Amino acid sequence: MTQFYPNLLAPIDLGPVTLKNRVLMGSMHTGLEDRFFNYGKLASYFAERARGGVGLIITGGISPNRRGWLAPAGGTLNTRLDVFNHRRVTSAVHREGGRIAMQILHAGRYAYHPFQVSASSVKSPINPFTPREMSEKLILETIDDYARCTQLAREAGYDGVEIMGSEGYLLNQFLCKRVNKREDRWGGPIENRMLFPVEIVKAIRKSVGQDFLLIYRLSLLDLVEGGNTWDEIVTTAKALEAAGINLLNTGIGWHEARIPTIVTSVPRAAFRATTARMRKELRIPVCASNRINTPEVAEDIIACGDADMVSMARPLLADAEFVNKAATGRADEINTCIACNQACLDHIFSMKRATCLVNPRACHETELVILPSQNKKKIAVIGGGMAGLAAATTAAERGHDVTLFEASSAIGGQFRMAATIPGKEEFRETIRYFDKRIKRVGVKLKLNTKIEAADLSTDFDEIIVATGVVPRRPAIEGLDHPKVLSYAEVLAERKAVGSKVAVIGAGGIGIDVSEFLLHDADQSIESFEKAWGIDSKVTHEGGLTSPEKHPPRREIWLLQRKPAGKSMGSGPGKSSGWVHKIALNQNGIRMLGGVEYQKVDDQGLHIMHEGQAKVLPVDNVIICAGQESVRDLLPVDEAGKITNARYHVIGGADFAAELDAKRAIQQGTELASRL
Ligand code: NAP
Ligand code: SF4
């Protein structure tokens, strides 16, 4: 029998436990761990991933004490009462044959409350509170808190703990001169700065003995000024090894770093070389992380000897069955994480429960339940964009007889266009996933089929209208001038665009189009490092060097009618917006808000701006002014209400404003789960 991914799926002996494979589900805060009444949901979420075959699950961060809470009343494990909740999680995972370790995370100066503490009283640029410097007494108490928390984790049934020491949290703050300005035995040279984490590991070992899995997550690249050098990082790793950890997990970049480390434009496995260097320094196994999202990439990392394990957090949110699909030769059925952050990190930053754009069941396993239908129906779905695809495949999975009509020659809708944007190539994976799923669940796909209202007479029990959107054509004089192009003509039809361009509309698509026009064809890891000034050998502090500068490929004006606020050029994503903005600024883009459009002619685009008439001397004007719903097939009354109960409307056809794939996939899945 063929063995798929033989290196990735080989067992690994970590000392206290032997794992069935080398896939570690990395820690990811979901919001469920913060409230005791959500532990049942948390248990189901992890149990589904354990059933899906992952070697080891790491929970979201649990604080060892109240000062370490990420936000007020965050998840903790510091009393016997807490043990009961955690046991629900560990039992559920063990029942499925899985292994689970709890992450202990003290937020330090990233804590979002006024009781935060750190190595020194140095405020973080991403937090309004200034931390109090920890006294010697508090440091010693905190070491005890870590040890007690680990003992309780063992009582709760965890197979081990991971000490969170990267991404700029408390222990990372002690390790680096950026925050650690102390002059006592906990500050100064690296041997002093690393004393706190090393003492924590020793205290944990003393309290739980040798037979309990202990993982430390260490920052290999801080990517901030005042971060550590390679020698300091290796010295720390060796000291942690000597103190008794079983596995070194790796982290890249502090949360306040202004270099992208996980968004979709970061090349896959961009940081594997740094992990490979660390592996050569240690005897214990080392785990690679960041932007690893397919079994092929993960297998290659292990096969090349760059790491012993591979951590994937978001990819396991996107597909709980990732490992089982890979192991049984069904990797093409994996619902791949596209690194958009829209439903996971962006939700957490907005204090909402995490889920996944491509998998709305993530963290909602007990609420969005897809069961076989007791009443088989004949269902028509019109439109093969994200909403239609989610509805059609979910309905067919439930046993319905589903026909999906798509007017164009391919599925994917707006997502297909998004996939053409440099740095959004991952979006193609979602289209591949649905293409495969359509075939697997037996949806009858009719491409190049434009449906008219008359075609939908009485043949179908349910009709799902997912006809999407058309680009809005604003009322501006001269819009029929040859220099005016729609975003679809630029992205999908690849019409030629000149060197001076005005983009009308600075929403998500205006930003995408600007990036497309400025983009450098080289997407290699080397080019990514040069563009962002990453020194992966960490010869400089924090692994920072100067970004390589190139003359911009085009002169672009990005325009909107609203006043230009701070967020102009960032787009909708909280955790990815700053990346777009920096990239656009580096290319000299000019962003103008408060613009009144007057006309387009041979001279260019005429506007009023700050009370003055101006002409932007551009070769092309590209319209990215939002969309309007296509609802022709819907039987509606004068108020727009649907008059026939067989009809349902989802996605952009339902509501064009703020349309995104997250809402489309969720709406399609939820509707199909009820029919
Ligand atoms: P959008 O985000 O709603 O932006 C539309 C832009 O057009 C705005 O800047 C708006 O600014 C302008 N506009 C609206 N009506 C106009 C008119 N009549 N004349 C001139 N300008 C007008 O829409 P979009 O850029 O088409 O994006 C569509 C959806 O896809 C959005 O919800 C977006 O979140 C999503 N998307 C997401 C991403 C992502 O990376 N997550 C990327 C692309 C798209 P003013 O009204 O101020 O002029
Ligand atoms: Fe990945 Fe986006 Fe899903 Fe987050 S929301 S897990 S980044 S696909």
Side-chain angles (χ1 to χ4, degrees):
M1 204 173 86
T2 317
Q3 199 200 339
F4 299 95
Y5 309 104
N7 293 284
L8 181 68
L9 301 180
I12 181 166
D13 179 2
L14 295 179
V17 292
T18 296
L19 303 178
K20 58 187 170 195
N21 59 55
R22 287 148 189 264
V23 180
L24 176 145
M25 178 178 171
S27 175
M28 168 110 200
H29 196 75
T30 65
L32 290 172
E33 50 286 271
D34 293 339
R35 300 288 173 264
F36 73 90
F37 50 80
N38 279 333
Y39 269 68
K41 291 174 189 156
L42 190 62
S44 300
Y45 160 70
F46 283 132
E48 222 169 86
R49 272 97 197 137
R51 199 157 52 242
V54 63
L56 177 67
I57 292 170
I58 312 280
T59 66
I62 301 291
S63 179
N65 57 34
R66 291 176 178 205
R67 281 193 194 84
W69 274 338
L70 265 170
T76 41
L77 179 55
N78 51 23
T79 68
R80 289 236 139 65
L81 272 180
D82 297 328
V83 168
F84 171 76
N85 292 325
H86 286 267
R87 227 179 242 144
R88 294 178 73 181
V89 170
T90 56
S91 312
V93 169
H94 291 151
R95 266 199 302 276
E96 299 296 345
R99 297 277 197 179
I100 183 162
M102 189 187 85
Q103 187 185 73
I104 308 182
L105 181 153
H106 189 305
R109 70 174 190 162
Y110 282 166
Y112 210 78
H113 54 73
F115 312 108
Q116 54 158 257
V117 291
S118 187
S120 303
S121 182
V122 181
K123 186 181 161 310
S124 156
I126 56 169
N127 193 310
F129 302 105
T130 302
R132 185 160 64 84
E133 176 169 311
M134 287 172 78
S135 65
E136 169 90 14
K137 181 168 171 283
L138 187 57
I139 291 175
L140 296 177
E141 279 170 14
T142 305
I143 293 171
D144 288 346
D145 290 342
Y146 271 86
R148 196 186 62 247
C149 186
T150 307
Q151 276 175 338
L152 292 172
R154 174 132 100 170
E155 249 179 69
Y158 286 107
D159 298 289
V161 293
E162 175 177 88
I163 309 298
M164 179 48 156
S166 65
E167 301 349 68
Y169 289 112
L170 180 71
L171 303 183
N172 215 173
Q173 292 159 25
F174 263 83
L175 275 182
C176 297
K177 285 181 261 180
R178 180 177 180 80
V179 182
N180 189 339
K181 313 284 181 194
R182 303 176 74 98
E183 292 179 353
D184 59 6
R185 67 186 179 119
W186 309 97
I190 187 62
E191 289 71 18
N192 291 8
R193 301 199 309 270
M194 70 186 189
L195 193 59
F196 184 36
V198 170
E199 288 300 314
I200 286 172
V201 171
K202 285 185 184 164
I204 289 176
R205 267 290 166 244
K206 203 167 152 205
S207 73
V208 293
Q210 296 301 317
D211 64 340
F212 193 60
L213 177 65
L214 185 46
I215 307 166
Y216 192 96
R217 187 158 182 211
L218 180 70
S219 181
L220 293 197
L221 270 167
D222 293 314
L223 299 180
V224 286
E225 281 166 22
N228 282 343
T229 60
W230 187 246
D231 287 348
E232 292 173 323
I233 297 164
V234 171
T235 302
T236 309
K238 288 188 168 171
L240 293 166
E241 181 181 53
I245 61 168
N246 306 108
L247 170 70
L248 187 90
N249 195 2
T250 55
I252 307 289
W254 289 36
H255 285 317
E256 66 204 57
R258 290 297 89 176
I259 292 178
T261 56
I262 56 168
V263 299
T264 191
S265 56
V266 175
R268 287 178 178 173
F271 306 100
R272 62 187 286 181
T274 312
T275 310
R277 285 179 73 208
M278 178 55 80
R279 185 170 183 248
K280 293 200 182 89
E281 300 284 350
L282 302 179
R283 288 185 309 272
I284 55 168
V286 173
C287 182
S289 74
N290 285 59
R291 282 293 282 122
I292 301 164
N293 64 341
T294 68
E296 287 76 18
V297 174
E299 169 72 10
D300 192 53
I301 289 172
I302 309 278
C304 292
D306 288 357
D308 303 277
M309 290 191 73
V310 165
S311 167
M312 289 182 262
R314 297 171 300 167
L316 271 294
L317 207 63
D319 196 333
E321 280 195 88
F322 184 103
V323 175
N324 283 349
K325 287 179 180 174
T328 50
R330 297 180 293 130
D332 58 350
E333 289 180 22
I334 291 175
N335 196 0
T336 306
C337 165
I338 57 172
C340 64
N341 290 346
Q342 260 177 265
C344 50
L345 294 184
D346 286 352
H347 274 211
I348 291 301
F349 292 143
S350 318
M351 302 287 177
K352 288 195 323 209
R353 192 196 310 179
T355 181
C356 172
L357 179 141
V358 298
N359 172 22
R361 288 196 63 249
C363 302
H364 295 73
E365 286 73 13
T366 56
E367 292 143 303
L368 182 48
V369 184
I370 316 288
L371 293 173
S373 167
Q374 301 304 314
N375 177 17
K376 306 274 185 261
K377 293 178 179 174
K378 213 171 157 199
I379 298 179
V381 180
I382 303 125
M386 286 299 127
L389 288 168
T393 49
T394 307
E397 230 157 44
R398 298 189 56 224
H400 294 303
D401 173 3
V402 182
T403 309
L404 172 60
F405 300 99
E406 165 57 41
S408 77
S409 59
I411 59 166
Q414 297 284 310
F415 225 59
R416 212 166 73 227
M417 202 130 52
T420 65
I421 309 292
K424 285 197 169 178
E425 293 79 3
E426 292 286 6
F427 286 42
R428 288 183 206 138
E429 298 289 351
T430 309
I431 298 171
R432 181 264 309 147
Y433 162 75
F434 275 117
D435 187 42
K436 181 78 193 175
R437 191 169 160 199
I438 281 175
K439 293 178 184 123
R440 188 170 55 80
V441 300
V443 171
K444 293 173 209 151
L445 175 63
K446 309 277 182 205
L447 293 173
N448 302 307
T449 309
K450 176 111 179 73
I451 290 292
E452 305 295 338
D455 303 329
L456 295 169
S457 50
T458 51
D459 265 9
F460 295 100
D461 303 308
E462 309 281 355
I463 295 160
I464 301 176
V465 176
T467 38
V469 291
V470 284
R472 177 181 291 123
R473 224 176 136 69
I476 302 171
E477 190 186 326
L479 231 54
D480 51 358
H481 192 283
K483 65 172 61 180
V484 178
L485 297 171
S486 70
Y487 68 80
E489 285 173 313
V490 176
L491 297 178
E493 297 172 33
R494 300 289 164 123
K495 291 218 166 144
V497 177
S499 61
K500 292 183 176 190
V501 180
V503 176
I504 290 188
I509 291 181
I511 291 169
D512 275 357
V513 165
S514 305
E515 289 194 334
F516 174 79
L517 295 173
L518 291 168
H519 136 83
D520 176 357
D522 185 355
Q523 302 267 349
S524 65
I525 293 178
E526 201 189 345
S527 148
F528 165 73
E529 287 178 354
K530 282 185 184 159
W532 287 94
I534 300 169
D535 158 27
S536 59
K537 297 213 161 46
V538 211
T539 41
H540 304 80
E541 274 186 3
L544 293 182
T545 177
S546 301
E548 212 172 75
K549 290 201 165 51
H550 298 284
R553 293 179 67 232
R554 284 192 172 86
E555 206 176 332
I556 298 187
W557 285 265
L558 181 64
L559 311 169
Q560 68 180 26
R561 297 170 303 174
K562 288 185 286 294
K566 238 171 74 185
S567 63
M568 186 176 179
S570 302
K574 268 189 186 251
S575 57
S576 53
W578 61 271
V579 183
H580 298 301
K581 185 137 184 168
I582 294 177
L584 293 177
N585 282 334
Q586 276 171 349
N587 279 291
I589 197 164
R590 281 176 255 181
M591 301 185 203
L592 304 185
V595 170
E596 200 183 300
Y597 307 109
Q598 297 196 309
K599 64 173 175 180
V600 182
D601 62 15
D602 290 347
Q603 283 183 289
L605 175 64
H606 297 246
I607 59 169
M608 284 295 290
H609 182 239
E610 294 176 340
Q612 287 189 335
K614 295 179 185 167
V615 184
L616 307 181
V618 293
D619 307 309
N620 291 105
V621 175
I622 302 174
I623 308 295
C624 305
Q627 285 89 20
E628 280 159 7
S629 300
V630 178
R631 299 167 65 92
D632 317 352
L633 294 175
L634 279 177
V636 288
D637 61 19
E638 278 170 9
K641 202 165 167 272
I642 299 174
T643 52
N644 184 331
R646 286 189 303 139
Y647 282 76
H648 312 269
V649 59
I650 55 174
D654 178 31
F655 190 57
E658 290 173 27
L659 159 73
D660 65 23
K662 181 179 77 173
R663 175 161 64 82
I665 294 176
Q666 183 179 353
Q667 217 183 359
T669 309
E670 283 178 355
L671 171 66
S673 74
R674 294 192 301 267
L675 290 178

